[in-house]
Amino acid sequence: VMSYSEEQVKNNIMNKIDDLIMKNPYLAILRPGPKQQWGAQLKTFSNGSQIRGESFGSSVRGAHPDYIFVDDPLKDKGGMTPEEQHVYAMTVIAGMAKRNTVIGYIGTPLDNGDLLEQLENNKAFMFRRYPALDGQGNPLFPHLFSKDELVAKEAEVGSFAFSREWMLQRIDPKGQMFKDKYRTINETEE
């Protein structure tokens, strides 16, 4: 499991795993025994499996896991450039994969040309987008937010933040000077 920083890995992922396993009686068999490591960045299980948390950009060569999940690799300010992120994803992360390794990237798009857009345009990757509202304006996850709550959230944070953080759009469609529906130039794939 990877996230942008070690702190993010610890707080957003590894601590959630602790809560899930320690508080759920059905998962008691997964709780660590005296021979298992159970720290902020590494959790080992009696069946030999492990969950390792690392920051995006860290040195992890040599590991060859069955699953690699990268959560929020992008950062609003500072950090790696989109090119550095892409090189890291295609060399270090892809280099860890063995034949059947599943690699998943989860995150909020930030800018045109960012890593998530590069992966979206790479035919080797399957891409899915799950915005807060579907194409008809209905909540995609009504158990998290009702339509009224989402309308109130957009009023609270503004159109740009709502478009990016909840609708997963890099550009606020309400603020676009040239709307996609008026595009008439034929674009060819390279």
Side-chain angles (χ1 to χ4, degrees):
V1 179
M2 298 183 122
S3 197
Y4 193 83
S5 69
E6 286 183 25
E7 197 65 27
Q8 244 184 322
V9 169
K10 181 179 154 194
N11 292 335
N12 296 350
I13 299 168
M14 301 304 266
N15 287 348
K16 302 285 188 239
I17 293 169
D18 282 348
D19 288 347
L20 180 67
I21 292 173
M22 297 305 193
K23 293 178 181 176
N24 187 328
Y26 297 106
L27 299 178
I29 194 163
L30 297 175
R31 292 179 187 153
K35 295 182 181 179
Q36 280 77 52
Q37 295 181 30
W38 200 260
Q41 286 188 272
L42 178 65
K43 299 184 186 317
T44 61
F45 300 90
S46 59
N47 67 358
S49 62
Q50 63 177 299
I51 299 174
R52 181 175 160 189
E54 296 289 346
S55 61
F56 188 79
S58 63
S59 179
V60 292
R61 286 189 168 94
H64 299 289
D66 295 323
Y67 300 93
I68 303 170
F69 293 108
V70 181
D71 176 55
D72 275 335
L74 309 179
K75 189 173 183 181
D76 291 309
K77 304 229 185 297
M80 300 168 76
T81 67
E83 178 61 28
E84 291 168 333
Q85 292 170 352
H86 186 258
V87 167
Y88 182 79
M90 295 301 127
T91 58
V92 176
I93 294 175
M96 289 190 295
K98 50 191 180 182
R99 180 180 302 125
N100 295 316
T101 296
V102 173
I103 303 174
Y105 287 85
I106 304 158
T108 302
L110 296 181
D111 299 304
N112 290 323
D114 65 23
L115 175 63
L116 296 177
E117 184 174 58
Q118 291 178 52
L119 295 173
E120 178 181 348
N121 294 326
N122 184 332
K123 295 192 186 316
F125 288 85
M126 182 185 310
F127 176 79
R128 298 287 182 267
R129 183 184 316 264
Y130 299 102
L133 296 168
D134 67 16
Q136 289 73 45
N138 298 311
L140 197 56
F141 303 99
H143 61 284
L144 296 176
F145 293 102
S146 69
K147 185 171 184 174
D148 290 340
E149 289 170 320
L150 289 168
V151 168
K153 183 59 74 176
E154 182 176 11
E156 173 191 338
V157 301
S159 180
F160 173 76
F162 185 80
S163 293
R164 186 163 91 176
E165 300 298 325
W166 281 269
M167 297 304 293
L168 308 177
Q169 298 171 338
R170 286 176 181 84
I171 298 173
D172 176 7
K174 292 179 182 174
Q176 273 185 285
M177 186 178 297
F178 299 103
K179 310 286 187 215
D180 283 342
K181 67 181 179 181
Y182 299 124
R183 183 180 291 170
T184 58
I185 299 171
N186 290 331
E187 295 178 350
T188 57
E189 289 187 26
E190 294 180 28

